[in-house]
Amino acid sequence: MTAGMIDLRSDTVTRPSAEMLAAMTSAPVGDDVYGEDPTINALEERVAGLLGHEAGLFTVTGSLANMLGVRALVPRGGEVLCEASAHIVRAELGSHAAVSGVTTRTWSAPAGQIDLEQIRTLIAPDLGPYFVVTSAVSVENTHNFGGGSIQHGFDALADELDVRGMPLHLDGARLWNAAVATGRTVESFASRAAAASVCLSKGLGAPVGSVLVGSAELIREARIWRKRLGAGWRQAGVLAAAGLYAVEHNVERLAEDHANARAIAEVLADAAPGSVKPDQVETNIVVADLAATGKTVAEVVAAAKAEGVLVGGVGATQLRIVTHLDASAEDCRTAAAALARIIG
């Protein structure tokens, strides 16, 4: 974390623990482009098994994993449906269109939720050489810009797509948060998708990396495209070792982050009624609406920084606070008190 600061901008700011660093420095490695890095192979096999899929592919970022997963399901010129504030359309710099030739249409719902009726209306069948065809639906679970919300309509959508024979793409950057919050396994979510990505560098605390999972054939093709995009890597087992450590040691503790986020939300709700609803904070992200406080996001971010707290914004009036393993319960109480003074 930034020296002397409580950094709640994102759960991507964590640094490896001493134990994770030890695992990294002792990892056996090889050339992954040749498929010879034993630690990467172990990570891919482990995550694919946990998520209920045949194979996995270790990638440098979740954005790359998503791009490879969507590209595998949607042909060039085809269409993927997703929620309007989903990461794949809001925070991946248009890569699906720019690189893969994939178009998007979106539905919009509170907290980024699945709206099955809107999706049914949006799905475009093959009407001949006149209109784009919907090739897949993508769901982000948990939903980043939806305030870390869990997709409670996930199974109903998966059932609907099964009947239609249409693949589901799962952006599971924070899927372990959804699993811990609901008491479900990650497999119960990810196995419903034809392609799913999970991040190791967010709540699990690894310094870098995501894993894309799917069928052996899908991953074989994704591996080719990863190399084609210049993202093959060599002795990256030192990074995969961090991911393995994270998966084995840092999943159950996500509940602590969820509790800290709820506690922050409760303090902010008292300080500025209506800014946040604590009962809607399901995981590790708090989004507070400053509209009624008379303060801008920029003003609050600057004032918080002056008090030793780093937070971010996700809109003109929306402040985002993200808890993680490097922010203790005491840190979160201190941060909440500072933010309450600023916005109250």
Side-chain angles (χ1 to χ4, degrees), residues 37-120:
D37 190 301
T39 308
I40 290 178
N41 294 342
L43 174 66
E44 291 171 345
E45 181 179 354
R46 175 69 172 143
V47 174
L50 285 171
L51 271 60
H53 282 271
E54 285 185 318
L57 181 66
F58 186 38
T59 67
V60 66
T61 64
S63 293
L64 178 58
N66 282 337
M67 189 166 67
L68 294 173
V70 171
R71 195 222 61 80
L73 302 178
V74 183
R76 182 170 290 275
E79 172 184 83
V80 61
L81 303 182
C82 63
E83 202 277 327
S85 58
H87 196 275
I88 68 167
V89 291
R90 186 170 179 188
E92 295 180 7
L93 297 177
S95 60
H96 300 277
V99 177
S100 301
V102 171
T103 65
T104 57
R105 278 191 302 145
T106 62
W107 72 90
S108 183
Q113 286 294 309
I114 290 167
D115 187 318
L116 193 51
E117 288 307 312
Q118 284 194 62
I119 294 169
R120 285 172 176 152

Side-chain angles (χ1 to χ4, degrees), residues 27-41 233-238:
V29 298
D31 191 321
D32 184 54
V33 171
Y34 292 132
E36 295 174 353
D37 190 301
T39 308
I40 290 178
N41 294 342
W233 42 14
R234 304 297 180 175
Q235 291 77 18
V238 292

Side-chain angles (χ1 to χ4, degrees), residues 272-322:
S275 62
V276 62
K277 296 179 180 179
D279 61 347
Q280 293 180 3
V281 177
E282 298 181 293
T283 56
N284 69 320
I285 300 176
V286 180
V287 175
D289 193 333
L290 305 179
T293 68
K295 296 180 173 65
T296 68
V297 168
E299 289 170 341
V300 173
V301 168
K305 185 176 182 179
E307 295 206 28
V309 178
L310 298 178
V311 291
V314 290
T317 64
Q318 291 182 311
L319 191 73
R320 189 179 79 149
I321 303 121
V322 187

Side-chain angles (χ1 to χ4, degrees), residues 42-302:
L43 174 66
E44 291 171 345
E45 181 179 354
R46 175 69 172 143
V47 174
L50 285 171
L51 271 60
H53 282 271
E54 285 185 318
L57 181 66
F58 186 38
T59 67
V60 66
T61 64
S63 293
L64 178 58
N66 282 337
M67 189 166 67
L68 294 173
V70 171
R71 195 222 61 80
L73 302 178
V74 183
R76 182 170 290 275
E79 172 184 83
V80 61
L81 303 182
C82 63
E83 202 277 327
S85 58
H87 196 275
I88 68 167
V89 291
R90 186 170 179 188
E92 295 180 7
L93 297 177
S95 60
H96 300 277
V99 177
S100 301
V102 171
T103 65
T104 57
R105 278 191 302 145
T106 62
W107 72 90
S108 183
Q113 286 294 309
I114 290 167
D115 187 318
L116 193 51
E117 288 307 312
Q118 284 194 62
I119 294 169
R120 285 172 176 152
T121 300
L122 286 170
I123 289 175
D126 187 349
L127 298 176
Y130 306 103
F131 303 102
V132 68
V133 177
T134 303
S135 299
V137 177
S138 179
V139 170
E140 184 181 349
N141 197 16
T142 64
H143 196 296
N144 182 5
F145 295 120
S149 59
I150 298 163
Q151 295 295 320
H152 298 288
F154 184 82
D155 293 312
L157 173 61
D159 290 342
E160 175 86 14
L161 296 182
D162 282 347
V163 171
R164 292 174 178 266
M166 180 173 293
L168 172 65
H169 169 261
L170 172 60
D171 175 358
R174 294 180 175 86
L175 188 63
W176 270 287
N177 292 89
V180 168
T182 59
R184 293 177 57 166
T185 64
V186 285
E187 179 179 3
S188 70
F189 291 110
S191 63
R192 303 301 307 274
S197 65
V198 287
C199 283
L200 307 167
S201 58
K202 293 188 170 69
L204 298 194
V208 67
S210 292
V211 179
L212 172 70
V213 299
S215 68
E217 176 58 26
L218 184 146
I219 295 301
R220 186 196 71 79
E221 174 117 356
R223 189 177 298 275
I224 293 171
W225 271 93
R226 185 187 67 173
K227 183 68 166 63
R228 184 171 283 147
L229 293 169
W233 42 14
R234 304 297 180 175
Q235 291 77 18
V238 292
L239 300 174
L244 277 170
Y245 183 91
V247 169
E248 297 299 333
H249 295 90
N250 291 344
V251 172
E252 294 305 320
R253 63 146 310 282
L254 292 173
E256 300 171 23
D257 298 339
H258 300 171
N260 288 337
R262 178 67 71 90
I264 290 172
E266 289 171 350
V267 171
L268 298 186
D270 286 341
S275 62
V276 62
K277 296 179 180 179
D279 61 347
Q280 293 180 3
V281 177
E282 298 181 293
T283 56
N284 69 320
I285 300 176
V286 180
V287 175
D289 193 333
L290 305 179
T293 68
K295 296 180 173 65
T296 68
V297 168
E299 289 170 341
V300 173
V301 168

